[in-house]
Amino acid sequence: MSNPNNPKTREWQAMSRDHHLAPFSDFKQLGEKGPRIITRADGVYLWDSEGNKILDAMAGLWCVAIGYGRKELADAASRQMQELPYYNLFFQTATPPALELAKAIAELTPAGMNHVFFTGSGSEGNDTMLRMVRHYWALKGKPGKQVIIARENGYHGSTVAGASLGGMKGMHEQGGLPIPGIVHIAQPYWFGEGGDMTPEAFGIWAAEQLEKKILEVGEENVAAFIAEPIQGAGGVIIPPDSYWPKVREILARYEILFVADEVICGFGRTGEWFGSDFFGNTPDMMTIAKGLTSGYVPMGGLVVRDEIVEVLNEGGDFNHGFTYSGHPVAAAVALENIRILREEKIVERVKAETAPYLQRRLRELADHPLVGEVRGIGMLGAIELVKNKQTRERYPSDKAAGMICRGHCFDNGLIMRAVGDTMIISPPLVISQAEIDELVEKARHCLDLTARALLA
């Protein structure tokens, strides 16, 4: 959008250059190029300031579960703003929306997880997890249990603690991260790192790295293992079928808490309410956000197993919280969002109809000469771009195949995200079969354009 036609676009781009610092951006490059200005949205579509209609196959940032333009959520926010726009949960006070939302969430979460600590985001939820886990072990008389084991290329937010828990080297290089007390193990990324091993053997090997790290650090020092059911920002990394059963087997042998980061997988993304339900895992804590409000307002939280809460109840003050914990407007929107998900049976429809259709159509792209693998679960998908389909050889990094493809997608009315040379999607849960057809057709067209560009 370096040469926009709309004078307002140029005005907004100037504001961006002169006043705005964008997340995860090269400030100089963005200032020279100018951002694409998104002005409105409806259903699964966005429109930019130049009038272009774009199918949002990323649901914003994995979050717009029920689609854009649901007036019910705006009305819920308006009603709550007029009745009680804000009050905090400090000083032994509470508000009805926060309490009703905690109950509604407990009705959806795995058995035995009936308590929620509210935050403003998933990042804050993971910060809360780190502090609560260490506080829990101190109350149990084991203050030495401080270390959190996480995974390389995992993503748990971009706060100091969240980015430290995440395993992304590019984030660790800025700001002296990770902070002490956090260690990382291999990710279960068979396509990228499995080599000559079968997916089953690689899944077991990757799971065994958890036990290896526990023994290296010492069980007496390990507080918890945190992992996404499916690594989202890492490239929709779906573990081999052998991975999670082996992890459960290992965790059963040690006195260590298991934390599932459900920020992306939660609230229907896999066709189950939570990714932990999909894989049969029983976490001690779950971080939540994104689909909780369908992204309409910021909100996150930490869901905690009852047995942990029993210990916390005997420990006096937990000296942690946020000004906007359980914000009444956010809670009202989340309640309405959950009502819509339940009453319209959106999660059930994803599981029975649209997700199977999406996965079937998406896999048709595997015949493309640029595609080394297509994988996905529910409303998540990944397309691996390769130079050689047989050997899984990538294009040289200076070719930037993923970013070339991403650019063609944006220019042709489709948002797909590039993670290196992996193209990923996470469309709104309400996407129709006709819209899935459009998504796949546009993706194939953009793959064709990318292949031509790489050969030029």
Side-chain angles (χ1 to χ4, degrees):
M1 291 195 70
S2 54
N3 295 300
N5 296 312
N6 183 352
K8 285 296 293 182
T9 303
R10 291 193 290 273
E11 182 181 342
W12 283 318
Q13 288 180 335
M15 291 179 191
S16 172
R17 182 185 62 250
D18 295 342
H19 304 293
H20 184 230
L21 297 176
F24 284 91
S25 296
D26 180 323
F27 299 145
K28 181 180 179 183
Q29 180 189 66
L30 184 61
E32 293 170 349
K33 180 181 178 183
R36 185 180 297 267
I37 309 297
I38 304 299
T39 56
R40 68 185 182 94
D42 186 62
V44 301
Y45 295 100
L46 306 167
W47 283 264
D48 67 18
S49 55
E50 297 295 293
N52 297 305
K53 182 181 180 181
I54 308 160
L55 196 163
D56 183 7
M58 281 304 303
L61 273 178
W62 321 83
C63 52
V64 187
I66 65 171
Y68 296 100
R70 292 298 298 250
K71 185 174 182 294
E72 302 96 314
L73 269 61
D75 290 344
S78 176
R79 286 193 301 271
Q80 188 59 47
M81 283 185 175
Q82 294 175 65
E83 184 171 329
L84 178 66
Y86 171 75
Y87 200 68
N88 65 77
L89 301 183
F90 288 51
F91 317 125
Q92 299 186 0
T93 62
T95 66
L99 301 178
E100 290 167 12
L101 179 59
K103 180 177 182 290
I105 292 170
E107 292 171 353
L108 302 173
T109 50
M113 303 192 78
N114 292 300
H115 297 79
V116 187
F117 189 106
F118 287 114
T119 67
S121 67
S123 296
E124 288 181 3
N126 282 319
D127 283 37
T128 301
M129 177 280 299
L130 186 147
R131 294 201 60 200
M132 188 178 289
V133 162
R134 290 175 174 173
H135 179 55
Y136 166 80
W137 285 118
L139 293 175
K140 293 271 286 184
K142 299 182 179 183
K145 290 176 81 69
Q146 295 267 321
V147 176
I148 314 290
I149 299 175
R151 297 189 301 201
E152 295 170 0
N153 201 37
Y155 186 84
H156 301 293
S158 60
T159 54
V160 170
S164 296
L165 289 163
M168 296 190 166
K169 291 181 174 59
M171 297 178 73
H172 290 174
E173 290 167 358
Q174 298 175 340
L177 303 180
I179 59 176
I182 297 171
V183 297
H184 297 86
I185 61 173
Q187 60 178 333
Y189 182 20
W190 175 80
F191 185 86
E193 300 177 4
D196 295 330
M197 299 174 73
T198 65
E200 180 182 14
F202 179 73
I204 291 171
W205 175 86
E208 287 175 341
Q209 302 315 297
L210 173 58
E211 185 163 40
K212 183 178 179 182
K213 185 62 71 173
I214 292 169
L215 296 175
E216 175 189 320
V217 174
E219 181 188 2
E220 71 280 6
N221 298 313
V222 178
F225 170 54
I226 183 171
E228 303 157 88
I230 296 169
Q231 285 167 242
V236 184
I237 308 301
I238 301 170
D241 292 343
S242 57
Y243 180 78
W244 281 119
K246 188 65 176 179
V247 167
R248 291 194 295 269
E249 177 188 317
I250 291 167
L251 289 171
R253 292 199 286 268
Y254 299 97
E255 194 179 19
I256 295 167
L257 298 180
F258 171 43
V259 182
D261 186 326
E262 294 273 4
V263 170
I264 286 173
C265 289
F267 299 97
R269 180 63 49 190
T270 64
E272 302 287 349
W273 276 97
F274 295 94
S276 296
D277 298 323
F278 184 91
F279 289 106
N281 294 335
T282 54
D284 297 293
M285 297 181 178
M286 300 193 314
T287 43
I288 56 173
K290 295 191 185 292
L292 173 60
T293 65
S294 279
Y296 278 54
V297 289
M299 192 175 213
L302 179 68
V303 187
V304 184
R305 187 162 291 281
D306 298 351
E307 292 88 337
I308 294 173
V309 175
E310 289 173 9
V311 174
L312 298 175
N313 283 343
E314 301 302 318
D317 285 1
F318 177 48
N319 296 313
H320 177 80
F322 304 97
T323 300
Y324 301 119
S325 291
H327 193 290
V329 176
V333 171
L335 279 165
E336 184 65 10
N337 180 64
I338 289 173
R339 183 195 67 77
I340 290 170
L341 285 168
R342 295 178 82 168
E343 291 189 7
E344 297 184 8
K345 298 189 181 302
I346 291 171
V347 179
E348 291 86 347
R349 188 163 70 248
V350 166
K351 181 177 182 177
E353 300 174 21
T354 49
Y357 187 75
L358 171 67
Q359 297 303 330
R360 185 167 65 253
R361 288 296 329 269
L362 202 61
R363 279 162 177 75
E364 294 173 11
L365 299 174
D367 66 1
H368 195 280
L370 196 58
V371 175
E373 180 183 70
V374 178
R375 60 178 178 270
I377 285 174
M379 284 290 157
L380 290 164
I383 303 165
E384 297 279 8
L385 307 186
V386 295
K387 185 176 182 180
N388 187 307
K389 290 168 75 80
Q390 281 68 46
T391 64
R392 309 201 293 269
E393 178 190 358
R394 302 283 193 181
Y395 279 91
S397 59
D398 61 353
K399 286 280 192 178
M403 291 306 291
I404 291 172
C405 186
R406 178 185 178 277
H408 283 304
C409 288
F410 234 139
D411 291 342
N412 288 274
L414 176 65
I415 294 179
M416 281 205 297
R417 183 171 171 179
V419 178
D421 286 349
T422 307
M423 305 306 298
I424 60 176
I425 63 165
S426 173
L429 303 188
V430 295
I431 191 170
S432 69
Q433 291 191 3
E435 290 160 346
I436 289 169
D437 291 339
E438 179 186 348
L439 189 164
V440 174
E441 287 160 12
K442 287 184 172 179
R444 184 175 289 277
H445 176 59
C446 294
L447 288 169
D448 289 340
L449 294 173
T450 302
R452 282 186 220 136
L454 290 167
L455 289 172

